[in-house]
Amino acid sequence: MRLRLRESLLRGVLRLAKRLDRRDASAAAFDPAGVRSILLISSTALGDTVMSTAAMNAVRARYPDARIVALIHRAYVRLFGHHPALDDVVAYQGGYRGFLATVRSLRGYRCDLALVLHGNEPQATPLAYLSGARFVFKLPNANDFRFLLSNAEPLVGRDAFRHGLDQRLAVARLVGASSPSSAGVRMSLPRPPAMERRVAEWLGEGRGSAPRIGFQSGASSRARMWPEEHFVDLARRLLVRHPNAMFVLLGSPDEAERCRRIADAIGPAARVAAGALPIEALPSLVAALDLVVSGDTGTLHVAVAMGVPTVGLFAVSNPAVSGAAHDPECHTVIHRPYERDVTSKSQDQEGMRRIDVDSVEQAVLARLDAGSGA
């Protein structure tokens, strides 16, 4: 009730502010030549923000001399702080936490243009407008704050986009940052030299031809997690074929305990990266692997961005929407569609349990053989 009241109050205040705003902020009035400073909003989860980097790159290519600042979730600011498409990053605190402080920070950049690539509503569009930007663009634009958008018409829904990457590139195209297809502009992440060295030291030397395989076992919900015992079984089977293989347990510090349980069950061949390395080292770490096995998580998209082959495991989510965004020939998808009973938490992981270890083992071995030229 309190959140709805806050949203209603915000909507009322912004309707009045928009009515008093004498600037012509229509899409027809937009002139790329007048753009000096740009705000890009991608304030949700890690994978969502990695997908947004394709649009960030497109905007940078179209506006090479503009100052570009991004509003990024506080948990991932350090990861994107060195991104070559961005000049600065502002931390999104989540929900209405620090809302007014965030507005003050954004207004300091005096942005001419704001693009909502992917953000939680009802905060994202109001923040874009309150940044002071004359022009605000967002797709899809079917939300309660669409009256703040320069592209309030025509109405475009989420079903207009096949993949999340397509949606973000569509926003960029509204301001002339065009790409012929999702393959035209790729996702990317920085690999600072200091992180490259740190990852090399952590991994050690002398692996020879032994594969390094990343396991991303955690996810945003249990419905996206492959069971721990399945990862253990998979590793033991792979060690028969590749006895010198290294298994790197990827994840956030919050997932470290889960990773340790899996690593302990696998034995000396497993190492826990979760909590051992900072998030800005993740691209360098993933790039050093031969393969990543993951559910629908941010780490999967990091691997795709770094050009590392993946075996993606999907049940309740749709890989056509949130799977590998490019280079499909490098990525194997195992999809067992499952309609989750949202009223029963006991069934949360049932869909992922239906992905059998045999299928994943075969997919991993095929990918490793392809990578080695076997």
Side-chain angles (χ1 to χ4, degrees):
M1 178 64 73
R2 183 179 178 184
L3 289 176
R4 287 197 296 269
L5 180 61
R6 185 179 298 178
E7 181 180 341
S8 297
L9 179 61
L10 179 62
R11 186 163 54 247
V13 170
L14 290 179
R15 281 194 182 279
L16 177 60
K18 184 66 174 176
R19 201 173 297 128
L20 297 174
D21 192 339
R22 300 305 179 188
R23 301 175 297 176
D24 183 356
S26 65
F30 176 71
D31 180 6
V35 175
R36 300 290 181 269
S37 185
I38 302 171
L39 168 63
L40 302 178
I41 295 181
S42 189
S43 54
T44 52
L46 174 59
D48 295 326
T49 310
V50 174
M51 277 196 277
S52 292
T53 61
M56 293 175 184
N57 293 334
V59 172
R60 171 54 75 193
R62 176 62 182 84
Y63 298 94
D65 299 321
R67 179 172 61 177
I68 300 178
V69 58
L71 183 66
I72 305 289
H73 192 280
R74 67 184 186 278
Y76 314 117
V77 163
R78 289 185 301 166
L79 178 59
F80 293 93
H82 298 281
H83 199 285
L86 306 176
D87 295 302
D88 207 349
V89 175
V90 174
Y92 172 65
Q93 301 300 324
Y96 287 105
R97 183 187 304 170
F99 187 86
L100 293 179
T102 302
V103 169
R104 287 194 295 270
S105 180
L106 294 177
R107 291 185 72 86
Y109 291 94
R110 300 183 180 276
C111 293
D112 311 295
L113 168 66
L115 304 181
V116 182
L117 302 176
H118 197 271
N120 287 327
E121 298 292 0
Q123 294 84 23
T125 300
L127 283 170
Y129 176 76
L130 290 169
S131 73
R134 175 181 172 186
F135 299 97
V136 178
F137 291 89
K138 179 182 186 291
L139 288 173
N141 57 3
N143 67 76
D144 290 343
F145 288 91
R146 61 194 301 267
F147 63 89
L148 298 172
L149 300 176
S150 299
N151 65 314
E153 300 291 343
L155 191 64
V156 178
R158 189 163 296 279
D159 57 358
F161 309 101
R162 180 177 179 274
H163 193 280
L165 192 72
D166 300 324
Q167 173 263 319
R168 291 152 175 80
L169 292 176
V171 179
R173 283 196 294 272
L174 291 174
V175 296
S178 61
S179 173
S181 68
S182 60
V185 177
R186 301 173 64 85
M187 303 184 300
S188 65
L189 288 168
R191 293 164 59 182
M195 294 299 105
E196 292 279 281
R197 293 191 294 271
R198 187 163 177 178
V199 166
E201 292 171 0
W202 187 83
L203 286 172
E205 301 295 333
R207 74 175 179 124
S209 60
R212 290 174 177 157
I213 302 169
F215 283 175
Q216 174 62 43
S217 63
S220 59
S221 69
R222 284 178 54 81
R224 297 169 186 253
M225 296 181 190
W226 205 40
E228 295 179 31
E229 62 271 21
H230 284 16
F231 277 106
V232 174
D233 190 9
L234 174 62
R236 290 171 176 171
R237 295 184 187 203
L238 294 173
L239 283 169
V240 174
R241 176 83 170 266
H242 297 279
N244 295 319
M246 174 190 290
F247 300 95
V248 177
L249 279 298
L250 305 164
S252 68
D254 291 341
E255 296 165 344
E257 183 178 349
R258 176 184 173 88
C259 291
R260 280 193 291 270
R261 288 196 300 268
I262 296 171
D264 289 345
I266 292 172
R271 299 193 64 184
V272 177
L277 294 168
I279 191 169
E280 58 266 40
L282 182 59
S284 296
L285 176 60
V286 169
L289 304 176
D290 297 288
L291 178 77
V292 171
V293 180
S294 175
D296 182 9
T297 70
T299 300
L300 179 74
H301 298 293
V302 171
V304 176
M306 305 316 296
V308 174
T310 68
V311 174
L313 313 179
F314 291 79
V316 297
S317 54
N318 184 354
V321 175
S322 58
H326 45 66
D327 304 327
E329 69 282 359
C330 297
H331 307 285
T332 300
V333 173
I334 300 177
H335 186 202
R336 301 287 187 269
Y338 179 72
E339 292 292 332
R340 182 169 44 145
D341 179 2
V342 296
T343 66
S344 175
K345 292 184 179 181
S346 64
Q347 294 184 0
D348 270 0
Q349 215 171 8
E350 182 60 30
M352 293 296 277
R353 286 188 180 279
R354 295 184 180 191
I355 300 176
D356 59 283
V357 179
D358 285 344
S359 297
V360 181
E361 178 191 13
Q362 292 169 16
V364 170
L365 290 174
R367 280 288 162 207
L368 291 177
D369 288 345
S372 66

CSV table of all heavy atoms in Angstrom, one decimal, residues 60 65-70 81 83-89:
chain,number,residue,atom,x,y,z
A,60,ARG,N,27.9,4.9,-28.3
A,60,ARG,CA,29.2,5.5,-28.4
A,60,ARG,C,29.7,5.6,-29.8
A,60,ARG,O,30.3,6.7,-30.2
A,60,ARG,CB,30.2,4.6,-27.6
A,60,ARG,CG,31.7,5.0,-27.7
A,60,ARG,CD,31.9,6.5,-27.4
A,60,ARG,NE,31.9,6.7,-26.0
A,60,ARG,CZ,31.8,7.9,-25.5
A,60,ARG,NH1,31.7,9.0,-26.2
A,60,ARG,NH2,31.8,8.1,-24.1
A,65,ASP,N,31.9,11.9,-29.5
A,65,ASP,CA,32.4,13.0,-28.7
A,65,ASP,C,31.5,13.4,-27.5
A,65,ASP,O,31.9,14.3,-26.7
A,65,ASP,CB,32.5,14.2,-29.6
A,65,ASP,CG,33.5,14.0,-30.8
A,65,ASP,OD1,34.5,13.4,-30.5
A,65,ASP,OD2,33.2,14.5,-31.9
A,66,ALA,N,30.4,12.7,-27.4
A,66,ALA,CA,29.5,13.0,-26.2
A,66,ALA,C,30.0,12.4,-24.9
A,66,ALA,O,30.8,11.4,-24.9
A,66,ALA,CB,28.1,12.4,-26.5
A,67,ARG,N,29.7,13.0,-23.8
A,67,ARG,CA,30.0,12.4,-22.5
A,67,ARG,C,28.8,11.5,-22.2
A,67,ARG,O,27.6,11.8,-22.2
A,67,ARG,CB,30.0,13.5,-21.4
A,67,ARG,CG,30.3,12.9,-20.1
A,67,ARG,CD,30.6,14.0,-19.0
A,67,ARG,NE,29.5,14.9,-18.9
A,67,ARG,CZ,29.4,15.9,-18.0
A,67,ARG,NH1,30.5,16.1,-17.2
A,67,ARG,NH2,28.4,16.7,-17.9
A,68,ILE,N,29.2,10.2,-21.9
A,68,ILE,CA,28.1,9.2,-21.7
A,68,ILE,C,28.3,8.7,-20.3
A,68,ILE,O,29.4,8.2,-19.9
A,68,ILE,CB,28.3,8.0,-22.7
A,68,ILE,CG1,28.1,8.5,-24.1
A,68,ILE,CG2,27.2,7.0,-22.4
A,68,ILE,CD1,28.3,7.5,-25.2
A,69,VAL,N,27.2,8.8,-19.5
A,69,VAL,CA,27.2,8.3,-18.1
A,69,VAL,C,26.1,7.2,-18.1
A,69,VAL,O,25.1,7.3,-18.7
A,69,VAL,CB,26.9,9.4,-17.1
A,69,VAL,CG1,25.6,10.1,-17.4
A,69,VAL,CG2,26.9,8.9,-15.7
A,70,ALA,N,26.4,6.2,-17.3
A,70,ALA,CA,25.4,5.1,-17.2
A,70,ALA,C,25.0,4.9,-15.7
A,70,ALA,O,25.8,5.1,-14.8
A,70,ALA,CB,26.0,3.7,-17.6
A,81,GLY,N,32.8,0.2,-14.6
A,81,GLY,CA,33.5,1.4,-14.4
A,81,GLY,C,34.6,1.7,-15.5
A,81,GLY,O,35.0,2.8,-15.7
A,83,HIS,N,34.4,0.5,-18.6
A,83,HIS,CA,33.9,0.2,-20.0
A,83,HIS,C,34.2,1.3,-20.9
A,83,HIS,O,33.9,2.5,-20.7
A,83,HIS,CB,32.4,-0.1,-19.9
A,83,HIS,CG,31.9,-0.8,-21.1
A,83,HIS,ND1,31.8,-0.2,-22.4
A,83,HIS,CD2,31.5,-2.1,-21.3
A,83,HIS,CE1,31.3,-1.1,-23.2
A,83,HIS,NE2,31.2,-2.3,-22.6
A,84,PRO,N,34.8,1.0,-22.1
A,84,PRO,CA,35.2,2.0,-23.0
A,84,PRO,C,34.1,2.9,-23.6
A,84,PRO,O,34.3,4.0,-24.1
A,84,PRO,CB,36.0,1.3,-24.1
A,84,PRO,CG,35.5,-0.2,-24.0
A,84,PRO,CD,35.2,-0.4,-22.6
A,85,ALA,N,32.9,2.4,-23.6
A,85,ALA,CA,31.7,3.1,-24.1
A,85,ALA,C,31.3,4.2,-23.1
A,85,ALA,O,30.5,5.1,-23.5
A,85,ALA,CB,30.6,2.2,-24.5
A,86,LEU,N,31.7,4.1,-21.9
A,86,LEU,CA,31.2,5.0,-20.8
A,86,LEU,C,32.3,5.9,-20.3
A,86,LEU,O,33.5,5.5,-20.2
A,86,LEU,CB,30.7,4.1,-19.7
A,86,LEU,CG,29.6,3.1,-20.0
A,86,LEU,CD1,29.3,2.3,-18.8
A,86,LEU,CD2,28.4,3.7,-20.7
A,87,ASP,N,31.9,7.1,-20.0
A,87,ASP,CA,32.8,8.1,-19.3
A,87,ASP,C,32.6,8.1,-17.8
A,87,ASP,O,33.6,8.4,-17.1
A,87,ASP,CB,32.5,9.5,-19.9
A,87,ASP,CG,32.9,9.6,-21.3
A,87,ASP,OD1,34.0,9.4,-21.7
A,87,ASP,OD2,31.9,10.0,-22.1
A,88,ASP,N,31.5,7.7,-17.3
A,88,ASP,CA,31.3,7.7,-15.9
A,88,ASP,C,30.1,6.7,-15.6
A,88,ASP,O,29.3,6.4,-16.5
A,88,ASP,CB,30.9,9.1,-15.4
A,88,ASP,CG,31.3,9.2,-13.9
A,88,ASP,OD1,31.7,8.2,-13.3
A,88,ASP,OD2,31.3,10.4,-13.4
A,89,VAL,N,30.0,6.3,-14.3
A,89,VAL,CA,29.0,5.4,-13.9
A,89,VAL,C,28.4,5.9,-12.6
A,89,VAL,O,29.2,6.3,-11.7
A,89,VAL,CB,29.5,3.9,-13.7
A,89,VAL,CG1,28.4,3.0,-13.1
A,89,VAL,CG2,30.0,3.4,-15.0
